[in-house]
Amino acid sequence: MRKIFGLILVAVFLLSACSSAATPAAPVDAPAETSLEGVPEGITPGLKIAVIRNLPSDDHTKQFLDGARTEGESFGFVVDTFIADNDDAKFQELVDQAIQKGYDGLIISHGKADYSYDMLKPAVDKGIKVVTFDTVIDKDGANLPEITTTFQDDFALAELSLTEIAALTPEGTPAKVIKLWWGPGVPPLDRRETIYQDFLAAGKLETLETIGPSNFQDVQGDIANKVSAILAKYPEGTVDAIWGSWDEMAKGAYRALVDAGRTDIALISIDISNQDMNLMREENSVWYSTAAVDPRLIGIVDMRLLAKKFAGEEVPANYDLEAKLIKKTDLKADTNMETLKDVIDGWGKSDAFNEAWMDTLRAYYAK
């Protein structure tokens, strides 16, 4: 039994570097005095969390942020979300301002290896709890053990998607591939690339082109233009597949294939969204499958890990979320991100790091 103190009113700070990207949190509605059986003393109402993402505002980002925000609010936390649009300087400024503004916890997404250690060490030094997603924290072999790092199982995502491509050709014949990839230096795509190189070494693939984005304000349009520009080089029957190592790039490639009338090239990708599924369902769609982790679930699990840190409970240093393969033939006419669980076994479900005291908080704040 413990006392939960009254709500601390939190003024949501506005960051000039990201004035349009911040999503102010709703206030926590808690009475002045409440006793909740079994809830750890470190879990107090009004704990302030900043979720900061270094990617554009695509579907995956929105779902990730929504998962973190809703799970945090179900625990009585105040959650603010920020998007840096793949601007590393802006991202580091947002993190620095969050540290200075007195947030109790941070969830950091897609920090680069060349600066993440120095960016996050001040947070650790101030005692701020930190969980990261798709972020490598390493400086000359040193890391920050106080931080839990999470990833999608990028190796499995690549394995699942590339196995689909390899199956397009007879055994012993490499599939001819246009690769959509962005890197090096992007942790999840670097991890996926290691599996791609394994498939190359095994003679399962042959790379015809490697294309990546340069305009992060319009990744789809940028990739569509680049794929369109090279398709004429490859007559029908000379390309087996396009591999989209990130679905935002795959959407651009799909547009290029449709505009060129190229139904001879399969599109296989990683990650999933409602837009992806709509394109996969189009008549004569060549977007055959994608490997993915529920982005909303990533945000949920990261917030649970952060809550356990506040509670003083043991958490792992690293955690990978399970990948699933989704084929266009799996999708029904009304399948969306909310109902994908009805056609993909285990989709969007995880008891990872969920505790009985979290259920107590959910029940209390749902009132």
Side-chain angles (χ1 to χ4, degrees), residues 54-55 86-88 91-92 109-117 119 134-138 182 184-187:
N54 190 25
L55 280 183
N86 198 49
D87 182 329
D88 289 324
F91 180 58
Q92 292 173 77
S109 174
H110 290 81
K112 305 278 188 4
D114 57 350
Y115 59 72
S116 289
Y117 181 98
M119 178 180 71
D134 274 356
T135 297
V136 173
I137 305 170
D138 181 89
W182 162 34
V186 182

Coordinates of all heavy atoms in Angstrom, one line a residue, residues 54-55 86-88 91-92 109-117 119 134-138 182 184-187:
N54 N 13.5 10.4 -34.7 CA 14.3 11.0 -35.8 C 14.0 10.4 -37.1 O 14.8 9.9 -37.8 CB 15.8 10.9 -35.5 CG 16.7 11.7 -36.4 OD1 16.2 12.7 -36.9 ND2 17.9 11.3 -36.6
L55 N 12.7 10.5 -37.5 CA 12.2 10.0 -38.8 C 11.1 11.0 -39.3 O 10.6 11.7 -38.5 CB 11.7 8.6 -38.7 CG 12.7 7.4 -38.7 CD1 11.9 6.1 -38.7 CD2 13.6 7.4 -39.9
N86 N 14.2 13.3 -39.6 CA 15.5 12.9 -40.0 C 16.6 14.0 -40.1 O 17.5 13.9 -40.9 CB 15.5 12.2 -41.4 CG 16.7 11.3 -41.6 OD1 17.1 10.5 -40.8 ND2 17.3 11.5 -42.8
D87 N 16.4 15.0 -39.3 CA 17.4 16.1 -39.2 C 18.2 15.9 -38.0 O 17.7 16.1 -36.8 CB 16.6 17.5 -39.2 CG 17.5 18.7 -39.1 OD1 18.6 18.5 -38.6 OD2 17.1 19.7 -39.6
D88 N 19.4 15.4 -38.1 CA 20.2 15.0 -36.9 C 20.4 16.1 -36.0 O 20.4 16.0 -34.8 CB 21.5 14.3 -37.4 CG 21.3 13.0 -38.0 OD1 20.4 12.2 -37.6 OD2 22.0 12.7 -39.0
F91 N 17.2 16.8 -34.1 CA 17.0 15.7 -33.2 C 17.8 15.9 -32.0 O 17.3 15.8 -30.8 CB 17.4 14.4 -33.9 CG 17.2 13.2 -33.1 CD1 15.9 12.8 -32.6 CD2 18.2 12.3 -32.9 CE1 15.8 11.6 -31.9 CE2 18.1 11.1 -32.2 CZ 16.8 10.8 -31.7
Q92 N 19.1 16.2 -32.1 CA 19.9 16.3 -30.9 C 19.5 17.5 -30.1 O 19.6 17.5 -28.9 CB 21.4 16.5 -31.4 CG 22.0 15.2 -32.0 CD 23.3 15.4 -32.6 OE1 24.3 15.4 -31.8 NE2 23.4 15.4 -33.9
S109 N 14.1 7.5 -30.5 CA 14.0 6.6 -31.6 C 14.9 7.1 -32.8 O 14.8 8.2 -33.2 CB 12.5 6.6 -32.1 OG 12.3 5.9 -33.3
H110 N 15.7 6.1 -33.3 CA 16.5 6.3 -34.5 C 17.6 7.4 -34.3 O 17.9 8.2 -35.2 CB 15.6 6.7 -35.7 CG 14.8 5.5 -36.1 ND1 13.6 5.2 -35.5 CD2 15.0 4.6 -37.1 CE1 13.1 4.1 -36.1 NE2 14.0 3.7 -37.1
G111 N 18.3 7.3 -33.2 CA 19.5 8.0 -33.0 C 20.7 7.3 -33.7 O 20.8 6.1 -33.8
K112 N 21.6 8.1 -34.3 CA 22.7 7.6 -35.1 C 23.9 7.2 -34.2 O 24.1 7.9 -33.1 CB 23.2 8.6 -36.1 CG 22.1 9.1 -37.1 CD 21.8 8.1 -38.2 CE 20.9 8.6 -39.3 NZ 20.4 9.9 -39.3
A113 N 24.7 6.3 -34.6 CA 25.8 5.8 -33.8 C 26.8 6.8 -33.5 O 27.5 6.8 -32.5 CB 26.4 4.6 -34.4
D114 N 27.0 7.8 -34.5 CA 28.1 8.7 -34.3 C 27.9 9.8 -33.3 O 28.8 10.6 -33.0 CB 28.5 9.3 -35.7 CG 27.3 10.0 -36.3 OD1 26.2 9.9 -35.9 OD2 27.6 10.7 -37.4
Y115 N 26.6 9.9 -32.8 CA 26.4 11.0 -31.8 C 25.5 10.5 -30.6 O 25.4 11.3 -29.6 CB 25.7 12.2 -32.4 CG 24.4 11.9 -33.1 CD1 23.3 11.7 -32.3 CD2 24.3 12.0 -34.5 CE1 22.0 11.5 -33.0 CE2 23.1 11.7 -35.1 CZ 22.0 11.5 -34.3 OH 20.8 11.3 -35.0
S116 N 24.9 9.3 -30.6 CA 23.9 9.0 -29.6 C 24.5 8.9 -28.2 O 23.9 9.2 -27.2 CB 23.2 7.7 -30.0 OG 22.4 7.9 -31.1
Y117 N 25.8 8.4 -28.1 CA 26.4 8.3 -26.7 C 26.5 9.7 -26.1 O 26.0 9.9 -25.0 CB 27.7 7.6 -26.9 CG 28.5 7.5 -25.5 CD1 28.4 6.2 -24.8 CD2 29.2 8.5 -25.0 CE1 29.1 6.1 -23.6 CE2 29.8 8.4 -23.7 CZ 29.8 7.2 -23.1 OH 30.4 7.0 -21.9
M119 N 24.9 12.3 -26.9 CA 23.6 13.0 -26.8 C 22.9 12.5 -25.5 O 22.2 13.3 -24.9 CB 22.8 12.6 -28.0 CG 21.4 13.2 -28.0 SD 20.4 12.7 -29.5 CE 20.2 10.9 -29.3
D134 N 15.8 1.4 -32.1 CA 16.6 1.5 -33.3 C 17.7 2.6 -33.2 O 17.9 3.4 -34.1 CB 15.7 1.9 -34.5 CG 15.1 0.6 -35.2 OD1 15.4 -0.5 -34.7 OD2 14.3 0.8 -36.1
T135 N 18.4 2.5 -32.1 CA 19.5 3.5 -31.8 C 20.7 2.7 -31.3 O 20.6 1.8 -30.4 CB 19.0 4.5 -30.7 OG1 17.9 5.2 -31.2 CG2 20.1 5.4 -30.3
V136 N 21.8 3.0 -31.9 CA 23.1 2.3 -31.4 C 23.8 3.3 -30.5 O 24.1 4.4 -30.9 CB 24.0 1.9 -32.6 CG1 25.3 1.4 -32.2 CG2 23.3 0.8 -33.5
I137 N 24.2 2.9 -29.3 CA 24.9 3.7 -28.4 C 26.3 3.1 -28.2 O 26.4 2.1 -27.5 CB 24.1 3.8 -27.0 CG1 22.7 4.3 -27.3 CG2 24.8 4.7 -26.1 CD1 21.8 4.2 -26.1
D138 N 27.2 3.7 -28.8 CA 28.6 3.2 -28.8 C 29.6 4.3 -29.0 O 29.4 5.0 -30.0 CB 28.8 2.0 -29.8 CG 30.2 1.4 -29.7 OD1 30.4 0.5 -28.9 OD2 31.1 2.0 -30.4
W182 N 19.0 2.6 -47.6 CA 19.5 3.9 -47.1 C 20.5 3.6 -46.1 O 20.2 3.1 -45.0 CB 18.3 4.7 -46.6 CG 18.6 5.8 -45.8 CD1 19.6 6.7 -45.8 CD2 17.8 6.3 -44.7 NE1 19.5 7.7 -44.9 CE2 18.4 7.5 -44.1 CE3 16.6 5.9 -44.1 CZ2 17.9 8.2 -43.0 CZ3 16.0 6.6 -43.0 CH2 16.7 7.7 -42.5
P184 N 25.2 3.5 -45.4 CA 25.2 3.0 -44.0 C 25.0 4.1 -43.0 O 25.0 5.3 -43.3 CB 26.6 2.4 -43.9 CG 27.5 3.2 -44.8 CD 26.6 3.5 -46.0
G185 N 24.8 3.7 -41.7 CA 24.7 4.6 -40.6 C 23.3 4.7 -40.0 O 23.1 5.4 -39.1
V186 N 22.4 3.9 -40.6 CA 21.0 3.9 -40.1 C 20.8 2.5 -39.4 O 20.8 1.5 -40.1 CB 19.9 4.1 -41.2 CG1 18.5 4.0 -40.6 CG2 20.2 5.3 -42.0
P187 N 20.8 2.4 -38.1 CA 21.0 1.1 -37.4 C 20.0 0.0 -37.9 O 20.5 -1.1 -38.2 CB 20.7 1.5 -35.9 CG 21.2 2.9 -35.8 CD 20.8 3.5 -37.1

